[in-house]
Amino acid sequence: MGSYKRILIVEDDEQDVSMIKEALADIIKDDKIDIAVNGKEGLDYLLQRGKFANRENLYPAAILLDLKMPKMNGLEFLKMMRKHKELRRIPIIVFTSSNIEEDIHFSYQYGANAYVQKPIEFEKFNQAVKNIGTFWLKRNISLVI
Amino acid sequence: MRLKKFHQFLYGTILLLCIIIFILFLLPKSSFTLSKKEKAYLAKVDKIKVGVDYAFAPYEFVDQDGKVVGFTIDLLQKISEYFGIRFQFIPGTWKDCLQRFRDGELDMLNNVTPTASREKYMKFSETTNIHTSSIYVPNFVQSVKGLDDLRQHKIGMKRGTSLLEQLKNRSDLDLQIISFQDPKEMVKALQNNEIIAVIDYDFPFQYVLFNLNIQNIKQVGSHISFEIGTFAVHKDDHQLLQILNKGITSISSEEKELLEEKWLGMKHHIVFLQVIKKYITYLIIAILIFIIILFWNQYLQWKLKQKNQRIIENEKKYRTLFNSNNDLIFLINDEKIIECNKVVFDKLKWKEAELIGENFDKIFCSSEKELIKLQINLQKVNEYNSAEFKSVICTNEGDSLFVHIDLEQLKLAGKDCIFVVMRDISNYKRLIEELRVKQEQFSAFMEHFPGGIFIKDKELHFLYLNPYMKKIVSDKNWFGKKPDQLFSPEAAMKQIETDKLALKQGFIKREEEIQDQEGNIGFYTTYKFRTNLPLGDILLGGIALDITKMKKIENKLKNSKLQLSSIFAAMEDFVCEVDFEGRYLFIAPTNDELMFGEKSDLVGHTLREVFPKDLAEKFLQFVRKTIQTKKVQSIEYPLKIENKTIWFEGRAHPKTENSIIYIARDITERKNNEKKLQDYREHLEMQVEARTKELKRSQFALQNLMEDTIGYQKKVVSINELLKESNQELEAFAYSVSHDLRAPLRHIDGFSKLLENRIIADLDEKSQNYLNNIHESIIYMSKLIDALLTYSRTTRKTIRKEKINMGKIVERALNLYEEQIKEYHFEVKKEKFPEVFVDATLMTQVWTNFISNAIKFTKEKEKPKIVLGSKIEKDETVFYIKDNGIGFQSEYKDKIFGVFQRLHSEKNYTGTGIGLANVKKIIEKHSGEIWTESAINQGTAFYFTISNL
């Protein structure tokens, strides 16, 4: 699979998703963003299964990953993904509410490229997402409008 | 045999010579071969078309039968034979042939003389023949002698020839040439005087004249010209030209001469001479061979004679050997006896007539076993040419002889004969048998001899070992080895020494220590003796008897004697042996003090003689009882020795049927002790009784106490479990808080801000304030959550202690508030701090909290002051921080450490209300105590303790 001029957000919280999209609005077009609501769906997306069976045969440029999710949480998703020969090359940014040591430790251990805590204040949140967007997403692709 | 070989050699030589001669004949014929290219050319071209002048006899012409023949035709045929070329001869007039050749219908022409005009389209081969030409006139013409005489005359010539061309160009002659197709017509014209002369090639024209039987025409003058004849091919036909050239050179001069003789009537004497020469050479060779054979034959005859002489001598030798031999010798054929020596008749008592011609098995004692043996061996001879076996044969008188039989296959006069030699081994057999018996006896003796036997030569090499000795030596390859190769160096040296002594003295007896290969040491009595053999040789014989066991017993005995005497010496008891009559038999050398009288007074005397009567009777009875019952008896009694009463305990052991061993021990002291003990025991028993009663009472009390304790323990366990559960719940709760509580806050802030962005233009100041309030609440809530998380984490966290100076930690915490300290002009007094063993991170939190609290509640004062310090006590150090801030009522001093406990409103003093709770937790984790002292507007002091290093 070649590179894909899209990004994947693995996130169960709809409101967070809409806030992320809002923050990214200046950087990445809305229709270039794909959403998976948990780790399981995230894997389905990457391996073109289930709901995503008919997806275009390309990998996303980067993945924004929440940790606390139903069915399959972010750490499990990371662990599974990094076992895969090709998938392990996709950059992953963990974006989560948690700031406990264990989560940070295991995220990096399982191969996350960055760990960013979701700030509660809107301005900080917005800035964090924009930073991620510019640095991680834009450097790989030209998803820019 | 030799003659036969010679014949083979002779035939071989003759055959070889024949082959050489044959090759000599063949050799010139195949001197040229064709190259690959040429072969390929021939394979491509099926036939070579040759134009033939039908009337150029004898070179080429069509004969009366219509066949193309002639000299050059024969040449071509020879070439055809060599190389397998197929020529197709196409006859025609010469002119016609030339034309057809130029048209390409023909491949080659014969008898062509090279001229300048022809060279334009032809190539010429080597010369095949030479054409001479002359002037021919009728016999009557006398005036014509040469060409000059023919000036302005009519002459006849053959049409199309090079000769014609040549003469036409001679303008000086001015000849009137009339050309003819047919030489016959030309002859006719000459006879009819139509022409004055004919100029033509000699052989062809003469051939015509000869054939027409014309004699009135003559040849005049010398030859007009010499022209060479060649084969002509097309200019570009190099391959054919080369083939033809090779053909021409391949034809030998002899062959060519033969052809010339055939066709041109030329006589070549040289040919004849050469042939003769050749045959003479062959003849000489043949003669030489004959002579060689003759000489060879003579030589062989001489050799044969010599050989015969030798054979006769050999025959004589053989006869002598045959008859004088002590063995029985037979010559048999087809199992029949052909011949045998005199010994046979002497030994077997048969007469000659009774044996010769008879079956060979006659002399075998018709025993089936022997006959089968014979048959098997006869078979063997057939296969392997020789055999040998042992058997029994019988004499005519019925005696049997043991014989060793050798069979050897012999071919005599074309017959397969067997040469039989029998050696009488009856005596030998008997001797062997005797020897065997002796050997067996000897071996059996040696085998069963209960000791080692060995024989060495005078250099001390081992020559014989009996099995017993072999075990001692234990090296399997003992034969021929010297002692130093078989035993340890010391043992070997000793052995060699005694060996040499034995050889010198003739006999020696020694006790030797021999160590075998496994390291076991054995003791042997060895006898060594010199043995002189009849032939003067000297051997050393030896016998080694194992006395290891004896030695061991001896040692044991020695040891036990020693033991006994030392035991006796160490004993304090009196030991003696007494017989049935009460007589002292033996007194052990032990304690003399216990002896009732002198030792010499006792041994040999009876009890009755030593002791008073009643005592003696008592002892005697005791002795006899022991002997009769055969059981150990004991007795206690006092004796007065040297005015002291000594108590004895005596024990008697039966020794033999008639005596006992008696052992008496001084038990005076024991007797005394026993008495004391008895008194003491009685006293003790009374005491114990009293104590037991006391004990019973306190035991009852203890039991009650125990039961209570167990009940408490159970309670503690269940409380611990509850605690564990609640800890786990707290952990889950903390994790949830970090995620689930933060998310809605984030959303509220996010969406309210988004909303604000959308409607900001329409917002009035109040709405803006509301939104700000929402935002601030959210910030405060998030701080609360974080603080709560920190607190719960502190609770759960295991502390990692390290050795560190507390002052360093305090400094670190102060640095965080440097700006505020400067801003509000704080006076900070930092006293001395000791080294402590604490979790540095957590301790930093403690001080940070204290300092931030102190700043928070003091900064409004006029001269804010903070004092940090420590006071080292016996087991612990008290650390403190004091400020001169707003303080609080001392009744709240315990409440202040609770979670979310605030004494001041959030509005005036920001904070989460968790900091001190956290601090308390950390101090408790370090097993310390924390307390506070404060009064309103007097300032606050916090204290905590950390145990000393």
Side-chain angles (χ1 to χ4, degrees):
Chain A
M1 258 196 250
S3 71
Y4 195 16
K5 301 187 172 183
R6 306 181 74 80
I7 63 157
L8 174 66
I9 298 175
V10 187
E11 171 68 77
D12 61 324
D13 191 325
E14 272 176 52
Q15 288 166 340
D16 270 353
V17 169
S18 63
M19 276 167 69
I20 292 169
K21 278 187 174 179
E22 194 72 46
L24 286 175
D26 298 340
I27 306 165
I28 299 163
K29 258 191 185 172
D30 192 49
D31 60 3
K32 295 273 183 195
I33 298 169
D34 288 317
I35 311 293
V37 297
N38 56 45
K40 212 167 163 302
E41 262 200 35
L43 279 182
D44 282 350
Y45 175 90
L46 292 173
L47 301 172
Q48 289 173 283
R49 299 185 302 208
K51 195 168 141 186
F52 298 101
N54 298 321
R55 189 174 72 78
E56 203 183 340
N57 188 23
L58 287 167
Y59 286 143
I63 296 171
L64 213 59
L65 179 68
D66 188 19
L67 289 187
K68 201 184 168 224
M69 287 183 293
K71 286 186 186 172
M72 183 192 284
N73 67 30
L75 290 179
E76 286 168 327
F77 171 81
L78 252 179
K79 219 169 156 185
M80 300 281 282
M81 221 190 103
R82 289 316 195 198
K83 275 183 199 160
H84 195 284
K85 213 177 178 181
E86 283 182 43
L87 298 184
R88 65 191 312 163
R89 290 207 295 263
I90 306 170
I92 292 185
I93 305 100
V94 173
F95 193 51
T96 174
S97 308
S98 165
N99 66 343
I100 66 167
E101 267 173 49
E102 289 94 324
D103 280 341
I104 299 172
H105 173 80
F106 284 114
S107 294
Y108 281 118
Q109 188 178 322
Y110 295 153
N113 299 79
Y115 186 99
V116 181
Q117 196 196 354
K118 287 177 186 165
I120 286 174
E121 279 178 78
F122 176 74
E123 298 301 336
K124 290 181 185 167
F125 182 91
N126 228 8
Q127 197 51 52
V129 175
K130 274 190 206 299
N131 286 347
I132 293 169
T134 343
F135 183 73
W136 281 106
L137 311 184
K138 235 173 116 177
R139 84 193 282 226
N140 287 296
I141 38 156
S142 46
L143 315 150
V144 196
I145 311 157
Chain B
M1 283 292 266
R2 284 204 161 189
L3 208 65
K4 202 173 170 186
K5 257 189 189 167
F6 168 70
H7 277 298
Q8 282 174 354
F9 171 72
L10 192 66
Y11 296 148
T13 317
I14 291 169
L15 200 68
L16 199 70
L17 281 169
C18 290
I19 290 166
I20 290 166
I21 292 162
F22 189 62
I23 287 168
L24 278 173
F25 272 114
L26 284 179
L27 215 55
K29 293 201 172 179
S30 55
S31 52
F32 289 96
T33 47
L34 294 185
S35 70
K36 271 186 186 172
K37 256 187 184 174
E38 289 156 358
K39 277 179 187 168
Y41 171 84
L42 288 180
K44 205 171 76 190
V45 180
D46 181 29
K47 279 176 185 171
I48 297 189
K49 294 178 191 137
V50 188
V52 178
D53 186 348
Y54 80 101
F56 197 56
Y59 292 109
E60 48 178 356
F61 61 101
V62 180
D63 70 0
Q64 287 154 339
D65 303 331
K67 265 172 82 184
V68 177
V69 290
F71 175 77
T72 39
I73 302 301
D74 274 5
L75 277 184
L76 282 175
Q77 247 139 20
K78 280 244 183 284
I79 292 169
S80 154
E81 273 168 35
Y82 294 162
F83 302 141
I85 313 174
R86 295 177 61 196
F87 294 107
Q88 189 186 5
F89 299 111
I90 301 166
T93 64
W94 181 237
K95 210 164 178 188
D96 198 22
C97 285
L98 271 176
Q99 189 54 48
R100 285 168 90 175
F101 179 81
R102 290 188 78 160
D103 292 346
E105 284 175 41
L106 298 174
D107 295 318
M108 61 176 286
L109 293 172
N110 304 329
N111 297 305
V112 186
T113 305
T115 62
S117 61
R118 283 173 180 171
E119 248 170 29
K120 283 173 195 160
Y121 60 96
M122 279 179 176
K123 276 222 162 169
F124 307 98
S125 74
E126 307 274 315
T127 311
T128 53
N129 46 11
I130 293 167
H131 305 285
T132 54
S133 47
S134 308
I135 304 166
Y136 292 88
V137 293
N139 281 349
F140 60 88
V141 178
Q142 299 293 331
S143 56
V144 179
K145 294 271 195 279
L147 265 179
D148 290 335
D149 302 327
L150 295 175
R151 227 174 270 265
Q152 292 172 346
H153 283 91
K154 280 185 182 168
I155 57 163
M157 284 191 85
K158 201 178 170 188
R159 201 174 285 172
T161 61
S162 51
L163 190 61
L164 181 69
E165 233 172 278
Q166 206 181 320
L167 288 185
K168 258 188 185 169
N169 297 337
R170 293 280 293 269
S171 50
D172 56 320
L173 291 175
D174 193 19
L175 295 171
Q176 292 182 29
I177 301 169
I178 298 163
S179 63
F180 293 89
Q181 190 79 36
D182 192 346
K184 285 176 192 166
E185 278 173 25
M186 197 157 64
V187 174
K188 229 185 238 171
L190 189 62
Q191 280 178 327
N192 297 339
N193 292 323
E194 288 166 23
I195 48 177
I196 193 168
V198 164
I199 299 178
D200 201 0
Y201 298 109
D202 291 327
F203 282 119
F205 192 70
Q206 282 170 17
Y207 192 85
V208 173
L209 295 177
F210 178 74
N211 273 0
L212 296 172
N213 200 19
I214 289 168
Q215 281 157 16
N216 56 353
I217 290 174
K218 65 173 181 187
Q219 186 184 6
V220 290
S222 55
H223 296 302
I224 292 173
S225 70
F226 295 86
E227 289 176 10
I228 55 166
T230 62
F231 296 127
V233 298
H234 291 290
K235 201 163 186 184
D236 51 354
D237 209 349
H238 306 288
Q239 300 289 354
L240 183 58
L241 188 71
Q242 267 174 20
I243 294 165
L244 290 173
N245 278 339
K246 275 188 185 175
I248 290 162
T249 34
S250 289
I251 295 165
S252 69
S253 55
E254 287 99 326
E255 281 173 318
K256 209 168 171 190
E257 281 161 10
L258 281 170
L259 284 179
E260 280 171 355
E261 203 182 321
K262 176 182 169 190
W263 292 105
L264 312 176
M266 279 160 66
K267 292 282 178 212
H268 293 282
H269 298 285
I270 309 150
V271 177
F272 179 68
L273 269 176
Q274 272 179 350
V275 170
I276 283 179
K277 220 171 160 185
K278 216 178 237 173
Y279 282 113
I280 285 170
T281 317
Y282 299 153
L283 197 69
I284 288 166
I285 290 167
I287 288 166
L288 268 173
I289 291 165
F290 181 72
I291 288 167
I292 288 165
I293 292 167
L294 211 68
F295 270 102
W296 188 241
N297 196 21
Q298 281 297 317
Y299 171 73
L300 283 180
Q301 272 183 5
W302 176 70
K303 270 262 172 181
L304 196 68
K305 225 176 193 177
Q306 271 193 333
K307 223 168 235 176
N308 275 340
Q309 191 70 33
R310 222 177 288 155
I311 286 167
I312 289 163
E313 277 169 19
N314 280 347
E315 170 80 14
K316 263 185 201 164
K317 278 184 209 164
Y318 164 74
R319 276 288 144 205
T320 323
L321 203 66
F322 190 69
N323 283 323
S324 66
N325 204 313
N326 216 18
D327 297 339
L328 291 77
I329 302 174
F330 296 84
L331 198 61
I332 59 171
N333 166 240
D334 203 10
E335 298 191 25
K336 296 260 186 326
I337 300 169
I338 307 173
E339 207 181 335
C340 53
N341 63 353
K342 279 178 191 164
V343 188
V344 174
F345 307 121
D346 293 347
K347 282 219 170 160
L348 298 187
K349 314 279 195 296
W350 294 95
K351 281 176 185 158
E352 191 169 347
E354 285 170 327
L355 277 180
I356 304 297
E358 291 295 319
N359 249 349
F360 185 53
D361 56 17
K362 186 173 181 179
I363 61 167
F364 288 84
C365 311
S366 58
S367 122
E368 203 157 312
K369 191 181 147 202
E370 297 306 323
L371 288 176
I372 288 169
K373 226 197 253 175
L374 175 68
Q375 283 307 322
I376 289 169
N377 281 288
L378 286 173
Q379 200 71 35
K380 220 169 159 188
V381 173
N382 263 332
E383 278 177 42
Y384 304 109
N385 285 333
S386 70
E388 60 177 305
F389 65 107
K390 289 191 178 71
S391 183
V392 187
I393 56 170
C394 286
T395 65
N396 195 13
E397 288 160 1
D399 298 332
S400 49
L401 284 178
F402 286 101
V403 285
H404 175 273
I405 303 175
D406 266 308
L407 301 175
E408 194 78 35
Q409 180 101 327
L410 267 185
K411 204 153 201 167
L412 292 180
K415 283 190 217 162
D416 279 326
C417 294
I418 297 169
F419 190 70
V420 185
V421 178
M422 290 185 185
R423 176 156 294 172
D424 183 359
I425 53 164
S426 304
N427 278 339
Y428 170 74
K429 193 106 179 170
R430 206 185 65 240
L431 276 173
I432 291 278
E433 183 58 27
E434 278 170 19
L435 206 61
R436 192 183 58 78
V437 171
K438 273 187 184 163
Q439 175 74 31
E440 272 173 11
Q441 285 170 349
F442 175 74
S443 296
F445 171 76
M446 287 300 194
E447 193 117 357
H448 295 102
F449 188 79
I453 297 177
F454 58 86
I455 300 174
K456 297 179 188 175
D457 65 12
K458 59 184 173 187
E459 267 84 40
L460 306 182
H461 296 110
F462 278 100
L463 298 180
Y464 174 81
L465 297 179
N466 74 334
Y468 193 97
M469 196 64 198
K470 278 180 197 164
K471 269 187 226 158
I472 298 171
V473 171
S474 80
D475 184 345
K476 277 183 184 169
N477 302 316
W478 54 270
F479 186 83
K481 283 190 180 164
K482 280 182 156 187
D484 51 7
Q485 290 167 295
L486 295 168
F487 301 102
S488 67
E490 293 161 42
M493 215 167 78
K494 261 188 213 165
Q495 214 182 91
I496 290 168
E497 200 180 301
T498 53
D499 285 352
K500 279 182 179 165
L501 210 62
L503 281 173
K504 201 170 161 194
Q505 296 177 351
F507 177 78
I508 198 170
K509 182 191 167 191
R510 281 280 189 283
E511 268 186 24
E512 279 189 348
E513 230 181 82
I514 299 178
Q515 193 170 14
D516 66 16
Q517 299 289 61
E518 286 160 15
N520 302 319
I521 295 176
F523 294 93
Y524 293 86
T525 306
T526 48
Y527 302 87
K528 295 184 180 177
F529 43 93
R530 189 177 65 218
T531 312
N532 297 329
L533 292 185
L535 289 174
D537 250 349
I538 294 172
L539 295 180
L540 178 75
I543 298 169
L545 296 173
D546 187 355
I547 53 160
T548 312
K549 270 185 196 163
M550 231 159 77
K551 244 321 199 245
K552 273 184 189 161
I553 290 165
E554 207 173 276
N555 280 343
K556 258 188 202 166
L557 210 66
K558 233 186 238 168
N559 271 344
S560 57
K561 260 184 191 169
L562 261 173
Q563 261 175 358
L564 204 65
S565 59
S566 48
I567 287 167
F568 282 148
M571 265 170 104
E572 286 196 339
D573 298 353
F574 166 74
V575 181
C576 64
E577 189 179 352
V578 181
D579 72 359
F580 195 74
E581 298 302 323
R583 195 182 303 277
Y584 285 103
L585 297 179
F586 161 79
I587 293 174
T590 57
N591 197 350
D592 288 351
E593 285 169 22
L594 302 181
M595 230 182 287
F596 195 75
E598 290 296 310
K599 195 175 182 180
S600 52
D601 294 342
L602 296 178
V603 178
H605 296 273
T606 62
L607 291 168
R608 281 186 182 135
E609 288 166 0
V610 176
F611 292 104
K613 199 186 170 190
D614 52 337
L615 208 55
E617 284 307 316
K618 190 183 168 188
F619 287 147
L620 196 59
Q621 233 174 8
F622 174 69
V623 170
R624 288 182 175 167
K625 194 184 171 192
T626 310
I627 290 172
Q628 279 157 4
T629 57
K630 289 179 182 172
K631 275 180 185 162
V632 177
Q633 302 290 334
S634 60
I635 187 173
E636 280 185 16
Y637 56 90
L639 265 187
K640 225 173 195 173
I641 298 175
E642 290 174 7
N643 297 326
K644 271 200 279 176
T645 305
I646 298 175
W647 272 90
F648 285 95
E649 182 197 43
R651 284 168 74 85
H653 301 256
K655 189 195 171 196
T656 62
E657 294 281 287
N658 201 30
S659 69
I660 57 138
I661 295 289
Y662 180 72
I663 302 166
R665 179 171 294 177
D666 179 355
I667 55 162
T668 315
E669 205 173 328
R670 200 181 85 196
K671 275 278 170 195
N672 293 341
N673 285 343
E674 269 175 12
K675 178 84 179 66
K676 275 184 197 165
L677 208 67
Q678 186 62 32
D679 295 347
Y680 188 64
R681 192 180 291 151
E682 277 164 17
H683 171 71
L684 256 183
E685 267 171 19
M686 273 159 60
Q687 272 193 337
V688 166
E689 210 172 314
R691 288 281 157 85
T692 310
K693 278 179 191 165
E694 253 176 66
L695 203 67
K696 262 185 192 161
R697 259 178 279 144
S698 54
Q699 253 183 357
F700 183 70
L702 199 66
Q703 207 168 333
N704 285 344
L705 198 67
M706 286 279 277
E707 275 164 17
D708 287 352
T709 313
I710 287 165
Y712 287 130
Q713 265 181 356
K714 276 180 187 164
K715 273 182 198 164
V716 168
V717 167
S718 63
I719 285 167
N720 266 345
E721 275 165 9
L722 278 174
L723 207 65
K724 224 182 246 174
E725 270 171 39
S726 71
N727 262 348
Q728 278 168 359
E729 268 169 38
L730 194 69
E731 222 163 289
F733 165 73
Y735 194 78
S736 276
V737 163
S738 73
H739 282 87
D740 301 352
L741 292 186
R742 272 181 184 149
L745 274 183
R746 193 165 60 235
H747 299 154
I748 295 166
D749 195 41
F751 291 109
S752 64
K753 265 282 148 58
L754 286 171
L755 183 70
E756 188 185 328
N757 288 346
R758 281 181 83 96
I759 53 169
I760 197 148
D762 304 331
L763 280 181
D764 56 6
E765 202 177 322
K766 217 168 194 180
S767 311
Q768 187 70 53
N769 271 342
Y770 293 158
L771 281 170
N772 282 347
N773 286 343
I774 292 175
H775 180 65
E776 270 159 28
S777 299
I778 286 161
I779 301 296
Y780 181 58
M781 178 91 181
S782 85
K783 274 183 188 163
L784 280 181
I785 290 169
D786 282 344
L788 195 61
L789 269 177
T790 313
Y791 176 69
S792 88
R793 228 174 281 162
T794 311
T795 316
R796 278 183 295 131
K797 204 175 170 187
T798 47
I799 56 173
R800 284 192 211 110
K801 286 186 182 178
E802 60 185 304
K803 195 178 156 188
I804 191 166
N805 192 295
M806 189 64 105
K808 229 182 215 174
I809 297 173
V810 173
E811 193 64 54
R812 209 184 285 166
L814 277 172
N815 281 343
L816 293 174
Y817 296 95
E818 210 181 334
E819 273 179 39
Q820 276 169 297
I821 289 168
K822 269 186 189 164
E823 192 187 336
Y824 296 105
H825 307 288
F826 267 92
E827 185 194 337
V828 177
K829 193 178 169 198
K830 191 181 153 224
E831 293 169 359
K832 273 194 176 174
F833 288 95
E835 297 260 300
V836 280
F837 191 58
V838 292
D839 185 317
T841 322
L842 293 179
M843 206 43 75
T844 311
Q845 273 185 42
V846 169
W847 286 106
T848 315
N849 251 300
F850 282 147
I851 292 166
S852 83
N853 264 349
I855 291 173
K856 193 161 41 176
F857 297 109
T858 314
K859 64 185 180 194
E860 305 296 332
K861 285 274 171 177
E862 227 167 79
K863 279 184 180 171
K865 187 180 174 187
I866 299 173
V867 179
L868 307 116
S870 65
K871 192 180 168 199
I872 299 167
E873 287 180 1
K874 197 186 171 193
D875 296 325
E876 53 189 22
T877 305
V878 180
F879 295 91
Y880 52 84
I881 176 166
K882 296 172 182 172
D883 62 48
N884 55 352
I886 58 170
F888 58 85
Q889 285 174 327
S890 64
E891 57 191 284
Y892 298 121
K893 67 179 180 187
D894 290 327
K895 235 181 184 179
I896 198 169
F897 295 110
V899 179
F900 293 132
Q901 290 297 331
R902 308 172 55 91
L903 297 181
H904 305 279
S905 70
E906 155 70 13
K907 207 168 183 181
N908 295 334
Y909 297 97
T910 53
T912 54
I914 275 184
L916 283 176
N918 211 12
V919 166
K920 191 175 184 226
K921 261 274 138 49
I922 293 170
I923 299 302
E924 278 169 2
K925 277 202 173 244
H926 283 80
S927 317
E929 281 177 65
I930 186 163
W931 68 94
T932 178
E933 282 169 9
S934 184
I936 295 212
N937 283 326
Q938 298 283 310
T940 311
F942 284 98
Y943 301 89
F944 67 92
T945 60
I946 295 289
S947 52
N948 287 338
L949 264 173

